[in-house]
Amino acid sequence: MTGLLVLSLILVPWLGALVVWRVGDSRPKWQHGLAVGFSVLAGILSVLLIPLASSDAAFSLPMGNLFGDLTFIADGLAVALAAIACVVGSLAVLFAVDYMKGEHQLGRFYSFVLLFIGAMTGLVLSSNLLFLFFFWEITALCSYALISFYNDDPKAVAGGIKALIITQLGGVGLLAGALTVFGTLGTYQIPDLLARSSEITPNLLAVMGFGFLLAAAAKSAQFPFHTWLPDAMEAPTPISALIHAATMVNAGVYLLARFYPVFEHVPGWTFAVMLVGMISALITAVMALTAMDLKRALAYSTVSQLGYMVYAIGAGGIFASQFHLLSHAVFKALLFLAAGSVIHSAGTRDMRKMGGLGKQMPFVRNVFILGALALAGLPIMNGFWSKELILEEGLKHTPLWAYVGMLLGAGLTAFYTLRMSWMVFFGEPREALHAHDAGRAMKISLGILAVGSLTTWLFAGGFSALLEHTLPFHEFHVLTLGALAEEIFLAPATYIALGVVALGLAVSWMVRKQATAPVPAALEALSRQSFGLDWLNQQVVKAVFQSAAVVQKTQTGEMNWNVVGIIGALVVVLGILLWSAS
Amino acid sequence: MNLITLIVIVVACLLGVGLYGLLITRNLIKIVIVLQLLVKAVVLAFVAAGKVSGHPGIGESVAATVIVADTVVAAVALALAVQVRMRLGTLDIPKISSLRG
Amino acid sequence: MNVSMFALLIGIPLVSSPVVYLFGRLTSRAEVLNRQGWIVRALALLAVTATWWPFVNLWLEFQAGGKRLFTNVESIWIQLDGLTFLLAAMVLTLGTLAILFSGRYMAGEIGEEKYYAMLLAMIGLMIGLGCANDLFNLWVWFEAMAVSSYLLVAFYREQPGSLEAGMKYVVQSAVGSVLALLGVALVLAQTGTLDMDQIQLMVGTMKLNHLGLLAAGALFFIGFGVKVAMVPLHTWLPDAHSQAPSGISAMLSGVVIEAGLVAMLRALSTLTGFALSWGWLLLGFGALNMLYGNLLALQQVQVKRMLAFSSLSHIGYILMGLGIALVSGQAAGAQGASFHLFTHMLMKGLAFLAVGAAMYALFHEQGIHRPLVAHDLNGISTRYPWVALSLSIALLALGGLPPLAGFMSKWQIFVAGFQSGNGWLMGFVVFAALNSVLSLAYYAPLVNRMYRCVSATSVKKGSAAISWTLQLPLLLLALAVVVLGLFPSLMNWLTEPAGAALMSIFK
């Protein structure tokens, strides 16, 4: 039963992709309907899977010696992430019915979305490292295809390729790690790795650990790979919400959480994870503050929140990180989709042109504010509970300066969140934009997500129990809702954090009318350059193309030079052979 | 100096001339001729190799086959050169080299 | 071994080659049959399809016995091992599809009958090459195969580019085969035999003149290496692959350079036991090929030329797999390389045929003859969805993205590197993986182009529909690329014996 459910979570969306593609672009109504049907079905199935979670293999299929068994395990971590992928996925598809109305090539759009949903559930459910990598890469492929969906726009094409190349570059780390596991233990099974990691020499373990960190940082757009996510905002907004906020970017966090027991004793690993998370959270919070493009601001905020999750893992708070992942997936999807309705109706992404839109689209304004409250971490939104939990873990297990840094980040978050909401919905209209409120399909999915932002923290107890019962190699303590409330409301750290958040809001309120970025000019310039990392990216690209141009000169196309190549190679090979023989 | 040494010297000279020729010749017909020099060197080498190893029969039969095979290659190469001359009006290598990079 | 089956395996294509030619000439002379070009095409397709029958029979015999098959014709010994079957399977698969594809693609070209005659001859000769068990015999097959491919590369005689490419190919290939032949002479002088098994025994046991054998080794490596297109011997390849008719580009890239590789490995296998394993040289050239091929492919605007450079980088992966196998002494690398040989044949065959189909629709039917540049593919999916889809599948598979075959075969090579536990080999694997990432920088933009909504003018002017004989081979290959990506062990029956054969010849 579990096996069947697990398989259908992957195959139902994939079948849907095939069907929607074959229906053809001449029947857009069918395509919308079928895409919603298949994704909602997957969403329902994924919720049904939650109570069936266990640490045993749900399904196993031998693939031959070199590829291991294709095994799926539906444990707590996996079912939670699969449910997020499928439920948020179906809401994003529902939203797209309105958002993508009248677009060309809908078949390509929905097929890749459905392919993505299936691959994402495969990624989290797979307990074979090769197939984890396999699904990992398919998600990258889908992300690339959807970022570049508007192929006629060179920015979209460039953004897609940038995302593809950077995540693939990180993928090399995961590949090296997975291959090391197979090379030393002779198995791809994750439970075997968790049980037998002591058989791997410390050096190889370190290589693996940092390889996985590299992969996770690239996938979750963490420092120094965070540059691709803002450029990925060229994608249609439902994609930004689904792939670049709620699901795929979480894969890196998932990876770190999944393998935490293996690497926690690798010297320097937890510290590196913590540091990556902290730097990402801080610098992108500043970048969100200076961004003028609504979607880019949300993208920076996504990197920043992912930074919190990564930081939590560095602090050993696996539950805190996964709990925040859940909250973030819901409230950030909400924010993105709400922003999508704004962009859809206003026809621009530039916040400087917006202002006062709240009157024209009250529903969107209301749900956006709910999401913003959750992002800022105000009680009793879901973001409040999970962020406080992370900060507490940080206070207990990381150096004080790191904790202070994250507190500062919380203040910055509140600052940019209020600024963003104000610039879009309040104040005087800066340009006469004719906006209208969201359509019906949009409202349904926004409404569900808004309710989610208010309530998902209620699942804390069940979620922690699920993790504790089904992940034998991790250490978890069941945290009931009462205990959670007690822990958070009795800890002085909470009040410090709330104070910082209030401070951030207050500062933001004071500068709300300022049209320019509310930071010193030097910092603003630095943050627009991604703190030098965009420059670094460009230099790498330039260096590759320059060396290619140099190498190109060797292909002279003249027969005599071609023969020189042959004779030269002969001399070299002969020389090497003679040298090795002597 | 025995016969084998002599043959080896001749082979080495032919190879040297052939390879050098390939590097400096700019005319397609001459390239084909230079290639022939190389092949003839190898044919001689086979005769010598058969003799040295004590199986002259193998060396000679191989040499005969090589001559046949090589004639086919030379014919194809010359046919192409003729076509080049007809279509492009020149046999000069730099002038016909447009595919590069 | 069933000798008559073997005779059929090589004989059907070789005998049908002159038959097709003569038939073509005769029907083109006769007024009544003047327009009956389909007879030639049908004959060629029939011949290549019929060749599957002896192949299957011999395969069954091979599998039942579990060892390599041996037979002799007079003093010439023939062997059929896993490597032979791998090469034959590749040649026949792509050969069948290329002939099917060419039916429409080459229809009405001047000298159509020559095209099929040469193609059939090349197919037969490549299968023969895989069976040689004698150094000189190997060389003869190799040379004959080369000759048959010269005329195919220079098939468009009226185009300067095609002639130039053909001329370069002839000269460089001839230099290579002279060098290889000199190597054979040196081996003969040292050992007094040309039989590969005997040479290997003698090299292993006798005190032989080391210098001569080293030189012979280097000559084999470089001489056969010209056909394998190892950098810097590769200079003919981009020209030849981009100028040949598309069916031939597919054959050249998918099987001819691989046949050269088989010849090189067979020749090198006789000379093992040097201080330096051949594996390290293969690894070095493999790494060079990957980097060079990728960098140059980045710079190309012509699609076929870009695919040609991508062949260089894929040869690099194959060489690396072989190198890993030889250095570590484990069959996994050889099996991975064999699998990649097979998947590369599918992917690159698909890519070239798909580009060919696009060229046919956009140019040939309009009587235009010019290279297809990347810009011409803009928005091609709007009019030719299947061509766009199959080319995209081919490109993404070449880039190593799952769930496509290229990912699994690369993975198999990478696994072999890490299984060896050798830090250097792991380093090579990481280098190769980084190269895969680099290669996406030229595959991905091309895929994007095809799905643009705004079409290039060439696409707008293209013909209304593409005939099913052009599309069927594409769909079959694309299907194979996807299925092998999902179920990679489906090819184990072929790659496992091939890997084992490689390990046993390099014992």
Side-chain angles (χ1 to χ4, degrees):
Chain A
M1 176 61 193
T2 317
L4 200 66
L5 211 49
V6 164
L7 276 191
S8 56
L9 272 187
I10 300 167
L11 295 180
V12 164
W14 282 14
L15 180 70
L18 208 62
V19 171
V20 172
W21 169 51
R22 288 316 302 147
V23 160
D25 294 340
S26 53
R27 275 172 285 188
K29 277 208 174 130
W30 278 86
Q31 286 178 318
H32 286 302
L34 283 167
V36 171
F38 275 102
S39 58
V40 168
L41 178 59
I44 292 168
L45 291 177
S46 72
V47 174
L48 290 180
L49 185 63
I50 293 177
L52 297 175
S54 87
S55 57
D56 302 325
F59 173 82
S60 193
L61 176 76
M63 297 292 285
N65 284 343
L66 287 161
F67 307 102
D69 296 353
L70 170 56
T71 310
F72 293 109
I73 295 183
D75 59 15
L77 203 50
V79 294
L81 269 92
I84 292 174
C86 293
V87 172
V88 178
S90 55
L91 294 174
V93 169
L94 186 62
F95 184 86
V97 172
D98 277 347
Y99 190 86
M100 298 298 286
K101 195 166 269 168
E103 293 283 350
H104 294 290
Q105 302 186 337
L106 272 179
R108 181 156 64 89
F109 176 79
Y110 281 128
S111 297
F112 273 109
V113 174
L114 289 165
L115 184 65
F116 170 80
I117 294 174
M120 191 67 208
T121 55
L123 162 63
V124 292
L125 288 163
S126 170
S127 77
N128 173 321
L129 266 172
L130 162 60
F131 285 92
L132 190 153
F133 186 68
F134 179 90
F135 289 117
W136 179 277
E137 301 276 280
I138 298 182
T139 59
L141 171 66
C142 296
S143 147
Y144 146 73
L146 288 165
I147 295 169
S148 308
F149 179 72
Y150 297 120
N151 270 320
D152 292 298
D153 179 0
K155 264 164 73 188
V157 172
I161 288 168
K162 185 173 180 184
L164 182 67
I165 300 255
I166 292 182
T167 49
Q168 294 282 309
L169 202 65
V172 174
L174 179 56
L175 176 118
L179 290 173
T180 312
V181 174
F182 187 68
T184 46
L185 299 181
T187 173
Y188 287 120
Q189 297 300 323
I190 294 172
D192 289 350
L193 168 64
L194 290 167
R196 293 167 53 198
S197 61
S198 55
E199 292 171 35
I200 304 175
T201 60
N203 284 341
L204 277 180
L205 211 55
V207 168
M208 277 169 59
F210 285 98
F212 278 31
L213 176 57
L214 181 79
K219 196 77 163 178
S220 290
Q222 296 294 290
F223 175 84
F225 299 109
H226 58 270
T227 51
W228 69 265
L229 194 63
D231 287 3
M233 291 301 123
E234 301 301 328
T237 309
I239 300 309
S240 308
L242 173 62
I243 300 186
H244 304 120
T247 52
M248 188 190 84
V249 286
N250 292 338
V253 179
Y254 163 78
L255 193 74
L256 295 176
R258 170 69 80 193
F259 294 99
Y260 179 77
V262 178
F263 303 125
E264 71 180 305
H265 299 300
V266 170
W269 190 77
T270 48
F271 183 75
V273 171
M274 184 203 83
L275 200 63
V276 165
M278 193 190 108
I279 296 177
S280 310
L282 276 181
I283 64 172
T284 50
V286 175
M287 283 154 79
L289 207 47
T290 58
M292 293 299 173
D293 177 319
L294 176 55
K295 276 184 83 179
R296 283 181 87 93
L298 284 171
Y300 292 128
S301 129
T302 303
V303 177
S304 175
Q305 294 304 305
L306 288 165
Y308 273 89
M309 298 174 213
V310 172
Y311 168 83
I313 290 173
I318 306 297
F319 174 68
S321 83
Q322 298 306 306
F323 190 37
H324 193 53
L325 191 155
L326 171 67
S327 310
H328 176 251
V330 174
F331 71 69
K332 193 49 75 63
L334 171 63
L335 284 171
F336 260 114
L337 291 182
S341 343
V342 172
I343 293 163
H344 188 66
S345 77
T348 176
R349 285 165 34 183
D350 194 337
M351 289 193 281
R352 282 168 297 193
K353 293 180 184 164
M354 298 174 183
L357 287 176
K359 282 184 196 125
Q360 296 169 38
M361 37 198 336
F363 181 81
V364 175
R365 177 195 63 200
N366 295 345
V367 292
F368 192 92
I369 288 174
L370 278 180
L373 290 175
L375 172 59
L378 287 171
I380 50 151
M381 306 302 294
N382 60 2
F384 162 73
W385 301 95
S386 49
K387 194 181 282 178
E388 293 302 332
L389 207 53
I390 287 178
L391 288 173
E392 245 178 72
E393 294 281 353
L395 183 62
K396 276 187 230 159
H397 302 291
T398 62
L400 193 61
W401 53 265
Y403 171 70
V404 173
M406 297 313 276
L407 265 185
L408 178 66
L412 287 171
T413 309
F415 190 171
Y416 70 69
T417 309
L418 179 57
R419 170 173 169 271
M420 195 158 61
S421 315
W422 185 270
M423 280 182 88
V424 176
F425 293 106
F426 299 97
E428 291 304 308
R430 277 177 283 270
E431 274 183 32
L433 295 172
H434 296 286
H436 53 82
D437 216 351
R440 197 173 53 169
M442 284 184 175
K443 273 188 180 158
I444 295 173
S445 79
L446 287 173
I448 294 174
L449 285 168
V451 173
S453 301
L454 271 166
T455 54
T456 56
W457 58 278
L458 293 169
F459 300 127
F463 189 24
S464 68
L466 194 67
L467 292 181
E468 206 244 336
H469 295 318
T470 58
L471 291 167
F473 297 98
H474 290 66
E475 269 184 51
F476 287 113
H477 304 288
V478 178
L479 191 65
T480 59
L481 208 54
L484 175 72
E486 199 175 319
E487 192 172 332
I488 286 185
F489 283 126
L490 292 185
T494 307
Y495 299 101
I496 302 174
L498 280 176
V500 174
V501 167
L503 194 65
L505 290 174
V507 175
S508 189
W509 180 258
M510 285 188 288
V511 299
R512 68 186 185 276
K513 298 214 164 121
Q514 189 179 328
T516 52
V519 291
L523 189 62
E524 187 190 349
L526 206 57
S527 80
R528 288 210 194 286
Q529 299 292 315
S530 284
F531 290 88
L533 283 154
D534 255 338
W535 177 84
L536 194 68
N537 281 355
Q538 285 156 10
Q539 291 305 305
V540 171
V541 172
K542 215 156 114 188
V544 168
F545 276 94
Q546 273 171 353
S547 50
V550 171
V551 172
Q552 197 178 16
K553 297 210 171 76
T554 61
Q555 180 86 13
T556 58
E558 276 196 34
M559 206 182 287
N560 304 98
W561 284 109
N562 294 0
V563 177
V564 170
I566 298 178
I567 295 173
L570 178 64
V571 171
V572 170
V573 168
L574 199 58
I576 291 174
L577 286 176
L578 287 175
W579 165 78
S580 72
S582 64
Chain B
M1 187 194 290
N2 62 17
L3 185 64
I4 298 297
T5 323
L6 189 65
I7 293 181
V8 169
I9 291 170
V10 173
V11 167
C13 289
L14 281 174
L15 281 175
V17 171
L19 291 178
Y20 180 65
L22 279 175
L23 301 184
I24 60 154
T25 308
R26 302 236 137 182
N27 180 300
L28 283 182
I29 301 286
K30 286 185 191 162
I31 288 270
V32 178
I33 295 173
V34 171
L35 273 177
Q36 286 300 302
L37 280 182
L38 279 175
V39 177
K40 293 307 166 301
V42 177
V43 169
L44 264 181
F46 265 104
V47 176
K51 190 95 178 143
V52 169
S53 63
H55 297 276
I58 298 181
E60 280 157 24
S61 57
V62 167
T65 320
V66 171
I67 291 172
V68 175
D70 180 60
T71 311
V72 178
V73 176
V76 171
L78 285 175
L80 275 179
V82 168
Q83 291 287 338
V84 169
R85 179 77 176 80
M86 273 167 54
R87 310 271 167 194
L88 303 171
T90 177
L91 287 170
D92 196 27
I93 289 176
K95 283 188 192 147
I96 64 160
S97 300
S98 60
L99 303 170
R100 55 166 61 94
Chain C
M1 181 170 90
N2 190 337
V3 181
S4 57
M5 276 299 159
F6 173 72
L8 282 178
L9 180 65
I10 298 186
I12 294 177
L14 284 184
V15 171
S16 59
S17 160
V19 170
V20 165
Y21 178 71
L22 283 176
F23 204 87
R25 296 301 292 176
L26 292 176
T27 50
S28 70
R29 294 268 165 85
E31 282 293 317
V32 196
L33 295 169
N34 204 11
R35 285 169 168 265
Q36 307 295 318
W38 67 270
I39 299 182
V40 169
R41 292 166 218 149
L43 264 182
L45 191 59
L46 186 70
V48 74
T49 318
T51 317
W52 280 98
W53 182 59
F55 172 79
V56 170
N57 272 299
L58 285 168
W59 168 258
L60 291 176
E61 189 185 343
F62 172 71
Q63 213 182 22
K67 299 189 295 218
R68 62 176 177 165
L69 304 173
F70 255 122
T71 190
N72 65 319
V73 183
E74 297 292 317
S75 63
I76 297 171
W77 282 88
I78 299 290
Q79 62 162 347
L80 275 75
D81 61 4
L83 204 52
T84 316
F85 283 107
L86 174 67
L87 184 62
M90 286 165 56
V91 168
L92 284 177
T93 307
L94 198 56
T96 311
L97 295 173
I99 288 181
L100 181 61
F101 179 85
S102 302
R104 177 55 70 95
Y105 190 79
M106 300 302 289
E109 294 280 351
I110 301 160
E112 200 186 342
E113 71 282 352
K114 261 186 263 174
Y115 175 86
Y116 289 109
M118 283 296 164
L119 188 49
L120 281 171
M122 194 165 86
I123 289 170
L125 291 165
M126 276 191 280
I127 298 174
L129 170 79
C131 308
N133 194 32
D134 166 306
L135 269 184
F136 183 66
N137 209 332
L138 180 74
W139 182 85
V140 172
W141 287 113
F142 178 77
E143 186 71 357
M145 171 193 90
V147 170
S148 62
S149 63
Y150 297 152
L151 293 174
L152 288 170
V153 167
F155 183 78
Y156 294 128
R157 281 183 310 182
E158 69 285 357
Q159 291 172 33
S162 173
L163 285 175
E164 181 193 344
M167 202 68 217
K168 282 181 194 166
Y169 181 37
V170 173
V171 171
Q172 285 180 252
S173 187
V175 172
S177 50
V178 164
L179 295 179
L181 194 59
L182 190 63
V184 178
L186 283 172
V187 170
L188 176 65
Q190 309 292 316
T191 62
T193 176
L194 289 172
D195 184 277
M196 297 207 272
D197 293 339
Q198 285 189 32
I199 296 169
Q200 200 177 25
L201 279 177
M202 294 177 80
V203 170
T205 55
M206 285 166 50
K207 279 268 175 202
L208 294 156
N209 187 344
H210 219 75
L211 188 62
L213 288 180
L214 276 180
L219 286 166
F220 285 160
F221 200 87
I222 298 300
F224 290 114
V226 171
K227 216 18 145 275
V228 187
M230 295 187 297
V231 175
L233 319 169
H234 69 283
T235 37
W236 61 273
L237 181 139
D239 300 352
H241 287 205
S242 59
Q243 296 300 319
S246 293
I248 299 308
S249 308
M251 287 297 281
L252 284 177
S253 187
V255 286
V256 174
I257 48 181
E258 285 76 2
L261 183 62
V262 169
M264 182 175 100
L265 291 171
R266 288 241 194 256
L268 286 182
S269 72
T270 58
L271 303 174
T272 46
F274 290 161
L276 183 75
S277 160
W278 289 118
W280 289 113
L281 272 177
L282 291 174
L283 281 169
F285 275 98
L288 190 60
N289 259 47
M290 280 179 225
L291 188 62
Y292 189 96
N294 280 334
L295 285 179
L296 276 189
L298 269 179
Q299 299 288 90
Q300 303 304 320
V301 280
Q302 285 181 29
V303 180
K304 279 176 84 172
R305 212 169 159 81
M306 188 211 90
L307 289 175
F309 280 109
S310 120
S311 295
L312 285 185
S313 77
H314 279 270
I315 283 293
Y317 290 100
I318 294 163
L319 292 178
M320 192 181 82
L322 294 168
I324 287 170
L326 294 188
V327 169
S328 68
Q330 291 167 349
Q335 193 184 338
S338 307
F339 190 32
H340 199 64
L341 276 172
F342 193 84
T343 56
H344 177 246
M345 178 274 291
L346 295 174
M347 301 182 291
K348 202 47 81 59
L350 175 57
F352 272 118
L353 293 186
V355 170
M359 285 174 79
Y360 185 78
L362 301 187
F363 300 154
H364 294 198
E365 284 209 302
Q366 274 64 252
I368 307 169
H369 260 292
R370 70 172 173 89
L372 185 85
V373 293
H375 182 78
D376 291 322
L377 288 176
N378 284 0
I380 196 168
S381 70
T382 50
R383 298 202 60 195
Y384 314 106
W386 291 106
V387 171
L389 180 69
S390 35
L391 185 53
S392 306
I393 287 179
L395 293 173
L396 295 173
L398 285 166
L401 286 177
L404 304 167
F407 169 78
M408 283 299 180
S409 53
K410 276 183 192 168
W411 180 275
Q412 212 172 340
I413 293 175
F414 293 173
V415 166
F418 271 73
Q419 264 184 328
S420 69
N422 181 330
W424 287 100
L425 297 184
M426 295 186 198
F428 271 107
V429 168
V430 171
F431 177 78
L434 289 174
N435 262 293
S436 265
V437 178
L438 176 59
S439 74
L440 289 170
Y442 55 90
Y443 294 127
L446 211 55
V447 176
N448 274 321
R449 280 184 183 285
M450 289 191 274
Y451 287 91
R452 288 168 78 149
C453 296
V454 184
S455 306
T457 43
S458 50
V459 173
K460 286 181 190 144
K461 288 181 192 159
S463 60
I466 296 189
S467 126
W468 69 269
T469 49
L470 285 176
Q471 297 201 24
L472 183 65
L474 304 186
L475 296 185
L476 290 175
L477 284 167
L479 195 64
V481 169
V482 175
V483 169
L484 283 187
L486 292 172
F487 306 99
S489 35
L490 283 181
M491 286 318 290
N492 277 358
W493 61 275
L494 193 61
T495 56
E496 212 164 341
L502 269 166
M503 294 318 287
S504 80
I505 63 174
F506 278 97
K507 55 181 169 268

